[in-house]
Amino acid sequence: MEWYWLPEYLPRFAEGLWLTIQLLVISIIIGMSLAIPIGLVQVTGPRPLAWLAKGFCTIVRGTPLLIQLWLIYYGVGSLFPSIPGIRESFLWPILRDAFPYAILAFSISVAGYEGEIMRGAFRGVPKGELEAARAIGMTPFQILRRVWLPRALQNVFPTLTGEFILTLKATPLAATITIYEAFGISSIVRQETYRIYEPLLFVAFLYLCLAAIMILIFRYFENKIPKRAS
Amino acid sequence: MERKKPSKNYGKTLEVNELHKSYGELEVLKGVSLSAQEGDVVTMIGASGSGKSTFLRCVNLLELPTAGEIKLKGEAVEFKNGKEHLVPSNKRQVERFRSHLGMVFQGFNLWQHMTVMQNVIEGPIQVLKKPKAEALELAEKILNRVGLWDKRNEYPAFMSGGQQQRAAIARALAMEPSVMLFDEPTSALDPELVGEVLKVIQSLAEEGRTMIMVTHEMKFARDVSTEVIYLHEGIIEEQGPPSQVFNNPKSDRCKQFVQSVH
């Protein structure tokens, strides 16, 4: 094993790691804010919206993330340059960059998987607790905000933790569309030093650390959830 | 001991006229009326399936009646006709009505993600828009009264059924409702826990709260009610002061029911 290259590339790994974290956190935030309404309409209706949400989840969950990512980057992304004048517009720096396409693809993926989980989560909240909220005079939005959503999230919290860690481990796919996140940097090291195993081992170790940190953070919140007695 | 109605006439606090409720072909309530003045304790008794719980749930519109009229302090719920049942035409009014009707459920239905204290102050803060300090002050009084002050930071899942039901009563009381509605409040409890809940309800009756209660506790109904209603298959079969309903019922069916449950 040769590690002489490591000090030289450490700063680049730091940058890559930072990109990985950004990609993960932003995608989870956007994805979850989509997943909540996607899960909710499947329980409350109206029917057409429920079908739409169900269809979305089925397609996202039924196709490989790599293909979704490439369809969005090479497909949607290649449509923009053909629009006249767009290269001069203020949008171009965003549209030219690969990162927003990765955010879009990962957010959609999170929305699809977690939307399905949130459907079950909303359905699993005991009807009586929602009835008590209605009986006390809450508006539908208050019921959602104060009782239904927090209870639903509480029920699926451990499941969501697992899902987010799976998302973390899917982020190396972004390297295939020119995003030099942590894994992308290890590829650069391989190309420049011809060391194959060491950079891979190192980057695997980085993901392990990230996953461990995530688990610790989520465990902290999970411990705040009251457990059922008995 | 039978409680007397307050001599002064306060007018009707709650008035329900000719309430009908059908589920498809099945008519569960066939025109049930009830009125309660301030301080009245009306208990509804009857076999399972007689419609008494459905009636109570219609009063605060958790179920929507097919026909009828519901009035709280003289103000009627505004309805329009729907496909299967009446539909309230003013959602704000419904929410306001419900905030005046303190509902206690058979299954407690406490919010499991909140402590007892959070359960109790939730309604006053969110629905009545009270400042938190004021809500906490009131909650302290109420929790002391139901004997749960030292359990205030406990989550419902860690408490016995009797404690949970008392917490649920505290949650309803915190709204300072005009009428308390009890839907079989002791039916889900272990026998040894029934007493502590009935004691709380009795103390509420004694301080002159207006209450409608669906129950199977005949002795309790006899002791605290100002009026007892015996419901059979969606119709009021017998109605009157407890002494009449329990001792001299006009209806044979009521006589049989009262004797069989004793």
Side-chain angles (χ1 to χ4, degrees):
Chain A
M1 290 239 202
E2 297 280 358
W3 297 96
Y4 66 89
W5 49 271
L6 190 55
E8 186 191 337
Y9 285 97
L10 261 185
R12 300 201 63 181
F13 271 111
E15 282 167 31
L17 208 56
W18 175 231
L19 210 54
T20 297
I21 292 170
Q22 284 180 40
L23 180 59
L24 180 69
V25 172
I26 298 173
S27 301
I28 287 176
I29 291 171
I30 298 177
M32 278 308 291
S33 29
L34 291 170
I36 289 166
I38 285 172
L40 190 64
V41 293
Q42 290 183 68
V43 180
T44 60
R47 282 268 178 77
L49 269 182
W51 286 331
L52 207 67
K54 180 103 212 144
F56 173 81
C57 289
T58 308
I59 291 169
V60 171
R61 283 153 38 96
T63 54
L65 178 54
L66 180 64
I67 295 177
Q68 294 166 16
L69 186 68
W70 282 21
L71 279 174
I72 287 171
Y73 181 62
Y74 295 111
V76 181
S78 65
L79 290 178
F80 288 118
S82 61
I83 300 172
I86 200 161
R87 281 169 195 273
E88 285 75 42
S89 88
F90 69 97
L91 283 171
W92 186 242
I94 302 170
L95 295 175
R96 193 183 47 189
D97 189 5
F99 192 66
Y101 295 98
I103 292 282
L104 181 62
F106 279 91
S107 298
I108 287 175
S109 172
V110 170
Y113 281 94
E114 272 53 270
E116 187 67 19
I117 287 172
M118 288 313 293
R119 180 185 65 88
F122 280 119
R123 186 158 287 164
V125 174
K127 264 185 84 185
E129 287 181 45
L130 302 178
E131 229 165 41
R134 279 205 288 155
I136 214 157
M138 285 193 192
T139 64
F141 183 68
Q142 279 178 325
I143 296 172
L144 178 65
R145 189 170 60 88
R146 302 292 308 174
V147 180
W148 209 3
L149 180 60
R151 280 289 273 129
L153 284 175
Q154 192 181 76
N155 282 345
V156 292
F157 198 82
T159 318
L160 286 179
T161 310
E163 289 283 317
F164 294 156
I165 285 169
L166 286 177
T167 308
L168 165 71
K169 291 181 294 183
T171 52
L173 291 177
T176 65
I177 60 167
T178 74
I179 292 170
Y180 291 101
E181 41 63 80
F183 172 71
I185 303 297
S186 79
S187 305
I188 291 177
V189 177
R190 187 181 66 235
Q191 284 157 19
E192 294 180 356
T193 65
Y194 304 109
R195 310 286 339 162
I196 295 170
Y197 299 112
E198 292 90 340
L200 281 176
L201 280 175
F202 181 67
V203 83
F205 171 73
L206 288 183
Y207 283 110
L208 194 64
C209 292
L210 264 188
I213 292 168
M214 282 174 75
I215 288 171
L216 285 179
I217 293 172
F218 284 119
R219 188 171 296 159
Y220 170 78
F221 287 111
E222 207 178 316
N223 285 338
K224 295 196 149 190
I225 298 174
K227 304 249 164 20
R228 218 157 239 300
S230 86
Chain B
M1 231 187 43
E2 201 168 303
R3 286 176 58 247
K4 292 218 171 71
K5 280 189 187 184
S7 51
K8 205 169 145 201
N9 192 348
Y10 290 98
K12 303 267 166 47
T13 305
L14 181 73
E15 205 178 342
V16 181
N17 290 322
E18 282 298 308
L19 205 73
H20 290 258
K21 172 69 185 174
S22 302
Y23 295 101
E25 295 286 288
L26 182 72
E27 195 173 23
V28 187
L29 297 175
K30 302 165 182 159
V32 178
S33 304
L34 171 156
S35 77
Q37 302 187 15
E38 194 163 326
D40 279 0
V41 177
V42 182
T43 36
M44 302 184 86
I45 58 173
S48 307
S50 58
K52 49 198 196 313
S53 278
T54 307
F55 176 82
L56 205 66
R57 294 168 56 81
C58 280
V59 170
N60 70 354
L61 305 163
L62 287 176
E63 306 273 351
L64 294 169
T66 346
E69 187 188 41
I70 301 164
K71 274 185 180 173
L72 186 64
K73 290 183 166 169
E75 183 188 348
V77 179
E78 296 162 28
F79 282 123
K80 59 186 178 202
N81 287 315
K83 233 187 292 173
E84 285 153 22
H85 44 65
L86 297 175
V87 179
S89 47
N90 182 346
K91 292 207 167 81
R92 284 278 146 75
Q93 189 201 31
V94 172
E95 281 147 16
R96 187 160 48 81
F97 263 61
R98 284 174 175 160
S99 72
H100 290 291
L101 298 167
M103 181 85 165
V104 175
F105 298 89
Q106 183 179 350
F108 331 132
N109 295 348
L110 289 168
W111 298 308
Q112 301 281 324
H113 61 302
M114 298 182 191
T115 62
V116 170
M117 181 54 107
Q118 287 166 337
N119 266 279
V120 175
I121 61 174
E122 181 70 9
I125 291 176
Q126 297 294 330
V127 178
L128 304 179
K129 312 287 181 202
K130 276 195 186 173
K132 194 173 178 190
E134 200 179 308
L136 284 170
E137 202 178 313
L138 178 64
E140 181 177 349
K141 256 184 237 156
I142 293 172
L143 284 174
N144 270 318
R145 147 140 219 211
V146 300
L148 285 178
W149 176 243
D150 49 334
K151 290 273 175 196
R152 63 190 178 280
N153 294 322
E154 197 63 271
Y155 284 96
F158 294 91
M159 306 198 307
S160 73
Q163 290 169 334
Q164 287 192 55
Q165 192 60 298
R166 283 186 284 143
I169 293 171
R171 173 175 67 179
L173 283 176
M175 296 296 286
E176 302 183 298
S178 316
V179 182
M180 290 283 284
L181 307 173
F182 291 90
D183 185 8
E184 302 195 25
T186 57
S187 298
L189 295 175
D190 293 336
E192 74 271 21
L193 302 176
V194 170
E196 60 184 79
V197 171
L198 290 184
K199 229 169 80 184
V200 169
I201 300 174
Q202 181 155 17
S203 79
L204 294 175
E206 277 159 8
E207 75 174 23
R209 277 188 184 270
T210 317
M211 321 204 285
I212 315 288
M213 178 157 153
V214 168
T215 187
H216 289 290
E217 298 286 333
M218 293 305 145
K219 187 181 168 317
F220 185 76
R222 181 199 294 252
D223 289 347
V224 303
S225 312
T226 51
E227 186 179 4
V228 179
I229 290 175
Y230 170 68
L231 212 60
H232 178 75
E233 290 179 357
I235 293 174
I236 295 179
E237 277 254 332
E238 185 87 35
Q239 180 171 19
S243 54
Q244 177 204 319
V245 175
F246 287 108
N247 304 336
N248 292 308
K250 288 176 232 137
S251 131
D252 286 337
R253 212 181 264 122
C254 180
K255 188 180 281 175
Q256 237 175 10
F257 176 77
V258 170
Q259 281 166 353
S260 70
V261 182
H262 261 254

